[in-house]
Amino acid sequence: MAKGTKRASPGADAEKNPLTEVELSDEDAEKLRMSQRQIARVELVLDRITQKKLVPAYEKRREIVKSIPKFWPVALMNHSLFAYHVQHSADQLALSYLEDLWVERDAAEPRCYTIEFTFKENPYFTDRVLKKEFKYVPPPAAADEKPDEDGITDSMLEFSWERDVVASGQKINWKDADKELTKLYPRETAEDDDDVADPGSFFNFFEHDSDPFEMGITIASEIFPEAIDYFLGNAGGDELDSDDDEDDDDDEAEEIDLEKPRSKKQKV
């Protein structure tokens, strides 16, 4: 019997897929680029309008929650990522004195902002307000740009958080050495690189300029806009693994009651 030949796979001799080699002329490419920039410009204008119109609503909410005990500590701790970075009982106790949280957005560049935590009198620090600023630093080319009728420049359409934003914290005025949480629980870097191995106390967020875990974005873009839902336990995704949730701060005897408020839609 003669040796047979191997059959070719079905379609092997068929024409190449016409979708794999689509040619784009320089003219069409430029048209697409301009269309994309136009869409980005409109989205940026709408974002500015939205943020501006939200301010009165946020101010109204601000007045309402003043009468609700521990509104902001509970809302923050119901966000799984935030809670992950506030595992020390001393941090939770200090956070329980928080009475107001505000995000002040830059009028010229609303994607940048200052986060303000306002505290009641507490045994930890003398500061009433702790701030973290994420400031817009336009690139050198922006100096020669002329904004359009909506105040938008070309450099704003090419906004990059990593390139155009500079974060800055503040020194916290601690009352006593045994309450200086950023010294008791410092931010630690890995031995072989600059990556943060242990975030330590949450209050390192304020005392360090860098924000390696993007807590600022989490607070300003997730928790602050949806604070009521987080307070009620109606917001947030899957909880983070809690294998190492055990508290190693046995020296803190005082308990903190940051339980979620009971509601019909409370998460289990």
Side-chain angles (χ1 to χ4, degrees):
M1 175 184 276
K3 186 176 181 182
T5 58
K6 185 178 180 181
R7 283 187 174 184
S9 300
D13 296 330
E15 294 182 0
K16 293 183 179 179
N17 188 335
L19 300 180
T20 60
E21 296 183 1
V22 178
E23 294 186 2
L24 185 66
S25 67
D26 292 342
E27 181 181 359
D28 286 339
E30 179 63 15
K31 288 179 179 178
L32 290 177
R33 189 185 72 84
M34 295 303 295
S35 178
Q36 189 174 38
R37 289 178 68 83
Q38 183 180 21
I39 293 171
R41 185 182 296 273
V42 173
E43 288 177 340
L44 184 53
V45 171
L46 290 176
D47 182 56
R48 288 186 170 198
I49 294 173
T50 299
Q51 294 299 336
K52 186 175 181 179
K53 286 186 175 293
L54 279 171
V55 171
Y58 288 149
E59 289 176 340
K60 179 65 176 179
R61 182 186 68 185
R62 192 181 201 179
E63 292 302 315
I64 293 173
V65 304
K66 281 182 179 180
S67 62
I68 301 176
K70 299 179 183 177
F71 175 88
W72 283 109
V74 171
L76 289 165
M77 292 298 291
N78 276 351
H79 188 287
S80 58
L81 178 60
F82 185 93
Y84 177 79
H85 288 274
V86 192
Q87 294 189 30
H88 296 293
S89 61
D91 272 354
Q92 296 178 23
L93 180 57
L95 191 67
S96 71
Y97 291 94
L98 179 67
E99 62 180 4
D100 186 43
L101 190 160
W102 189 253
V103 175
E104 186 71 31
R105 291 191 175 270
D106 188 323
E109 178 46 82
R111 289 170 290 190
C112 298
Y113 41 76
T114 298
I115 296 173
E116 301 178 358
F117 278 43
T118 302
F119 291 84
K120 298 182 290 187
E121 177 66 27
N122 65 82
Y124 289 89
F125 40 80
T126 60
D127 306 273
R128 177 161 170 76
V129 179
L130 298 182
K131 295 183 179 182
K132 180 87 168 188
E133 182 180 13
F134 296 87
K135 185 178 181 180
Y136 175 58
V137 180
D144 299 324
E145 294 176 337
K146 184 177 180 180
D148 64 13
E149 65 275 12
D150 296 307
I152 308 298
T153 63
D154 287 340
S155 62
M156 289 180 180
L157 298 178
E158 299 169 358
F159 177 84
S160 166
W161 183 267
E162 292 76 15
R163 183 195 63 207
D164 301 333
V165 178
V166 175
S168 59
Q170 71 171 82
K171 179 70 176 68
I172 298 176
N173 295 299
W174 301 96
K175 290 185 175 180
D176 298 298
D178 63 344
K179 298 291 186 181
E180 193 169 354
L181 301 181
T182 53
K183 287 291 192 296
L184 296 174
Y185 311 108
R187 180 182 289 182
E188 299 178 0
T189 56
E191 294 182 359
D192 55 344
D193 54 38
D194 294 330
D195 291 340
V196 176
D198 183 353
S201 169
F202 162 71
F203 290 89
N204 286 306
F205 169 72
F206 292 105
E207 286 209 322
H208 289 261
D209 291 340
S210 63
D211 183 19
F213 300 101
E214 298 187 336
M215 292 298 293
I217 294 176
T218 297
I219 295 168
S221 300
E222 296 182 22
I223 302 175
F224 183 75
E226 306 294 338
I228 294 175
D229 276 339
Y230 276 105
F231 176 76
L232 296 175
N234 298 334
D238 297 335
E239 293 298 322
L240 296 175
D241 293 336
S242 55
D243 294 340
D244 54 356
D245 279 348
E246 295 183 4
D247 195 351
D248 58 354
D249 300 310
D250 296 334
D251 58 324
E252 291 290 343
E254 187 173 353
E255 279 190 357
I256 311 130
D257 180 16
L258 292 181
E259 292 294 325
K260 298 177 183 177
R262 298 187 180 277
S263 65
K264 293 182 180 179
K265 296 183 179 180
Q266 183 179 3
K267 291 194 298 184
V268 179

